[in-house]
Amino acid sequence: MRLAANPCHPARRYPTSRLPLLVLACSLAGISAPACAQIAFQAQTALATGPSPYAVAVGDFNGDQLPDLAVTMQGNNRVYIYSGSASGAFSFAISYVVGSQPAAIIATDLNHDGFMDLAITNRQAATVSILLGHGNGTFNAAVAYAVGSLPIAIAVGSFNPDGYADLVTANSGDVCGPPFTPCGTVSLLRNVGDGTFYLGATLYPQVIPTGIATGVFTAGGDQDLVVTSYAGSQYSLYFGDGGGGFPTSQGPFATLSANAVVLADFNHDGSTDLAISRSDDGDVSVQRGNGNGTFQTAAYYSEGTSGSHPYSAAQGDFDGDGYADLVLANYSDNSVAVLRDRTVGNGGFDGALTFTGGLTLPSSVAVGDFNRDGKSDIVVVNSGADSLSVFLNVSVPTDRIFASGFEF
């Protein structure tokens, strides 16, 4: 199955039978090729997983310079490792026991040995499991560290001068009181430097958090946090002091059914911007950063139907123009949407390419160059089908600006 996006006809779903017409659409209309560049993906055969897969992380775990996959399995409390190949195909390699109901997962170097490690939130166990990698595709047995109740999301950042990778989790089960009502917390796990951790600060956002991400929002260069809340329909900003604390915050700011959050400099002005999926509205709220901890008024971009529930989002340059595009996994309507960043410096997005083939309750999406052709590919976790779907990018990058300076 090959899926192509035509920016001259945005926000449409493209059945396979129409694809040859889409490829010819620009030339038949008398429009120059640079004006109607295509984004296209080639769907690969679905890859079977263990029971109830939930989230996926991408990294080179065996040192062959090819991306591999790590997937949390809630049905048997394991993480499955899949080895990549030059063709973009994956094969099961090994699995590891972690905690009860593993949810979010990230791949990063936690002990400064140059090898990729894994950190997993265990929702029912209220822990984070650390698997230190050996660089040959294998890992140490998981070591668990206590965090708040029902940790649902995780992010990595260096919050003090030691340069070590610390972790933060969004915990959706904690209560605050009196009157002891559900409010959620954010736990900071401080890295000793060798991939072992201790519990540092706890933040109290006063709402049940859903997503979390780290980035630099001010000119000071310290790592900051953004926390989203689906139930609270808002997001909050926490500003790091460079010493491991977050003494100041901004918000909460209202944005309906806030869920997944992605940070990138979408308009190339040197400041970090926010993109927050709005699950009940089927769109993305984009706030451009000013570089001083403040953000501009949100702009909204449709990525699906109302109630599509984009629970996961990632960024990647899918058309090769050097600007960060977005991909979102829509859990309720079994689709994935790609929003292309406009290359005119305003951080806006073209209408979404939405595709549905072979997806069943997609709960997680990630990006990597799986076949080493220089293009960003997509992997999706099908939580309702015990499988992974891989979409290889077969786009032909072209300029999207006319010689006169007008954008199509």
Side-chain angles (χ1 to χ4, degrees):
M1 177 176 58
R2 180 175 174 137
L3 300 151
N6 187 346
C8 297
H9 304 282
R12 294 185 180 180
R13 296 169 184 261
Y14 297 111
T16 307
S17 60
R18 290 180 55 198
L19 291 178
L21 296 178
L22 289 173
V23 173
L24 296 175
C26 293
S27 58
L28 290 175
I31 302 173
S32 64
C36 278
Q38 299 283 333
I39 297 179
F41 292 89
Q42 184 72 49
Q44 306 299 291
T45 301
L47 177 65
T49 68
S52 301
Y54 186 85
V56 59
V58 177
D60 179 11
F61 305 133
N62 56 9
D64 63 358
Q65 308 304 310
L66 292 169
D68 307 308
L69 305 177
V71 186
T72 54
M73 304 293 167
Q74 296 198 338
N76 60 7
N77 300 325
R78 286 179 171 268
V79 170
Y80 282 31
I81 308 299
Y82 296 87
S83 296
S85 67
S87 67
F90 294 88
S91 58
F92 173 76
I94 194 171
S95 71
Y96 293 89
V97 175
V98 289
S100 178
Q101 202 174 13
I105 183 171
I106 56 174
T108 190
D109 183 2
L110 295 173
N111 58 354
H112 280 210
D113 63 357
F115 303 139
M116 297 296 286
D117 309 308
L118 298 173
I120 303 102
T121 63
N122 302 304
R123 190 149 47 186
Q124 290 301 321
T127 60
V128 168
S129 288
I130 303 297
L131 284 76
L132 298 180
H134 301 150
N136 60 359
T138 65
F139 295 81
N140 287 344
V143 177
Y145 297 89
V147 291
S149 177
L150 301 183
I152 193 171
I154 190 169
V156 62
S158 181
F159 304 120
N160 55 19
D162 62 15
Y164 301 138
D166 304 311
L167 301 171
V168 283
T169 64
N171 314 309
S172 59
D174 286 324
V175 297
C176 303
F180 302 107
T181 56
C183 67
T185 61
V186 172
S187 297
L188 169 62
L189 285 176
R190 297 281 296 272
N191 192 341
V192 175
D194 57 359
T196 62
F197 294 82
Y198 64 93
L199 188 62
T202 299
L203 304 179
Y204 298 88
Q206 302 301 312
V207 291
I208 299 174
T210 305
I212 192 167
T214 62
V216 177
F217 304 145
T218 68
D222 296 322
Q223 288 277 305
D224 307 309
L225 300 177
V226 56
V227 180
T228 60
S229 172
Y230 170 76
S233 293
Q234 62 190 45
Y235 71 94
S236 297
L237 306 173
Y238 293 89
F239 299 97
D241 60 9
F246 297 89
T248 60
S249 63
Q250 286 187 7
F253 303 100
T255 184
L256 293 176
S257 60
N259 212 316
V261 56
V262 175
L263 306 184
D265 182 4
F266 293 116
N267 56 354
H268 283 203
D269 66 352
S271 299
T272 300
D273 308 314
L274 305 178
I276 300 173
S277 70
R278 305 202 310 167
S279 291
D280 292 341
D281 296 84
D283 63 18
V284 178
S285 169
V286 177
Q287 289 86 247
R288 287 181 284 169
N290 296 317
N292 61 358
T294 65
F295 292 82
Q296 298 178 26
T297 301
Y300 302 98
Y301 301 92
S302 177
E303 59 83 34
T305 59
S306 178
S308 56
H309 294 120
Y311 287 153
S312 179
Q315 62 157 306
D317 182 7
F318 300 118
D319 54 5
D321 64 359
Y323 285 72
D325 308 309
L326 290 172
V327 58
L328 301 103
N330 297 318
Y331 185 86
S332 294
D333 69 357
N334 298 322
S335 70
V336 168
V338 173
L339 280 73
R340 186 168 99 169
D341 196 333
R342 300 173 188 153
T343 59
V344 293
N346 65 357
F349 291 85
D350 290 324
L353 162 66
T354 303
F355 50 95
T356 58
L359 301 177
T360 306
L361 303 182
S363 57
S364 180
V365 64
V367 174
D369 182 4
F370 300 139
N371 56 356
R372 295 187 66 183
D373 64 353
K375 301 174 184 177
S376 294
D377 307 309
I378 298 169
V379 59
V380 185
V381 174
N382 296 302
S383 65
D386 294 349
S387 68
L388 300 175
S389 291
V390 175
F391 296 89
L392 296 182
N393 190 339
V394 293
S395 305
V396 178
T398 57
D399 188 6
R400 294 178 296 173
I401 307 296
F402 285 116
S404 62
F406 291 102
E407 185 192 22
F408 67 84

